[in-house]
């Protein structure tokens, strides 16, 4: 466990645990509606089974070599949400500091309660309460595309990494590797997201469940059918949402809420992500050829 660089603004008591909060009233990289929305999301989807965590965790970590991680390492999970990837990482490194600015910290504290080498802290990218160059490994999965200035937030986060430390990043792709139909459906979906994400919580939750049931599941069923008919071909990947074939209903419902319930979302091409990472001081980038796009690991080569 690392030392905090400053005194917490408050200490929250939760289930015999204490969660230090460093959240300031006004933070540059905070989009208040988005953070509230995530607090609600992770309190709804606050439990993931070991199988779910391992299955999807292995997809994100396919760019991490087993030899990249050791029990001596201290890791940061930036924007930990439910804490599922902290949980995944805890067996592979020495200690995980997990931070999130939203009410998700309560779900994270609950999900990770059995792991003694995880500490949950309430903070955002602007208030990371650890010294620069503190971490051997940082994960930031599905977070920075929900911030107004992704490049600047990434640069701030990379400062917390030691020289030669590793940064695992996942940012939504802008569908540059997909065809016209895919993009068209996505444009429609984005319009719908803009409307749904502004609705009251209960209506938003309901509509996202409807989308999971009547949009996600049918597309996934078509993808699965094509996969069964052409088991040796990749045709099914042409179907939107085929990524969810084999994923649990809960993951599908959670992701539908994530996609349609979040007010701020940005998307980047592989090249844009490469430039942002290099500008932040990362190099030796390895993009995964597999979904979810794009997840990539880089090493801090410049201080
Ligand atoms: C889609 S969730 C991803 C959570 C987790 N990384 C995962 O993949 O399960 C995005 C998370 O980013 C957090 N977040 C939003 N703004 C942030 C900020 N300024 N700094 C750090 N995290 C932030 C949200 O509270 C939310 O929990």
């Amino acid at each position: 466990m690392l030392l905090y660089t400053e005194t917490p603004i408050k200490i929250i008591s939760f289930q015999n645990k204490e969660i230090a909060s460093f959240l300031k009233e006004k933070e540059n990289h905070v989009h208040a509606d988005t953070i509230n929305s995530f607090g609600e999301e992770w309190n709804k989807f606050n439990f993931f089974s070991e199988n779910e965590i391992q299955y999807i965790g292995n997809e994100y970590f396919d760019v991490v070599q087993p030899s990249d991680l050791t029990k001596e390492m201290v890791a940061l999970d930036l924007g930990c949400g439910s804490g599922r990837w902290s949980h995944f990482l805890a067996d592979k490194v020495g200690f995980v500091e997990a931070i999130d600015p939203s009410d998700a910290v309560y779900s994270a504290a609950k999900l990770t309660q059995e792991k003694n080498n995880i500490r949950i802290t309430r903070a955002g990218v602007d208030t990371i309460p650890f010294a620069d160059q503190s971490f051997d490994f940082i994960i930031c999965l599905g977070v920075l595309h929900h911030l107004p200035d992704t490049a600047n937030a990434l640069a701030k986060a990379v400062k917390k990494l030691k020289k030669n430390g590793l940064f695992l990043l996942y940012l939504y792709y802008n569908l540059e590797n997909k065809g016209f139909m895919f993009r068209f459906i996505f444009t429609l979906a984005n319009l719908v997201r803009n409307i749904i994400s502004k609705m009251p919580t209960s209506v938003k939750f309901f509509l996202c469940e409807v989308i999971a049931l009547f949009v996600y599941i049918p597309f996934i069923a078509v993808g699965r059918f094509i996969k069964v008919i052409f088991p040796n071909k990749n045709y099914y990947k042409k179907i939107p949402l085929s990524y969810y074939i084999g994923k649990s209903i809960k993951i599908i419902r959670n992701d539908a809420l994530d996609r349609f319930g979040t007010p701020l979302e940005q998307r980047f091409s592989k090249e844009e992500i490469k430039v942002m990472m290099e500008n932040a001081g990362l190099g030796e980038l390895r993009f995964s050829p597999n979904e979810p796009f794009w997840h990539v690991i880089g090493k801090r080569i410049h201080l």
Side-chain angles (χ1 to χ4, degrees), residues 33-53:
D33 290 349
T34 299
I35 294 200
N36 291 339
S37 172
F38 276 121
E40 292 161 3
E41 173 178 331
W42 294 120
N43 282 322
K44 180 172 158 92
F45 293 100
N46 61 5
F47 180 76
F48 294 90
S49 70
E50 195 59 39
N51 274 352
E52 283 167 330
I53 293 175

Side-chain angles (χ1 to χ4, degrees), residues 23 27-31 34-39 41-42 48 60 77-85 99-105 123-128 139-148 153 170 172 254 258 262:
L23 216 57
E27 281 194 60
N28 293 335
H29 289 99
V30 161
H31 189 255
T34 299
I35 294 200
N36 291 339
S37 172
F38 276 121
E41 173 178 331
W42 294 120
F48 294 90
Y60 283 116
D77 182 356
L78 174 59
C80 66
S82 65
R84 52 190 174 166
W85 311 134
I99 73 170
D100 198 287
S102 76
D103 281 350
V105 287
V125 73
D126 256 6
T127 42
I128 302 173
I139 61 171
C140 189
L141 302 175
V143 176
L144 300 183
H145 45 225
H146 296 300
L147 272 58
Y170 164 50
Y172 288 161
N254 183 183
D258 208 283
T262 310

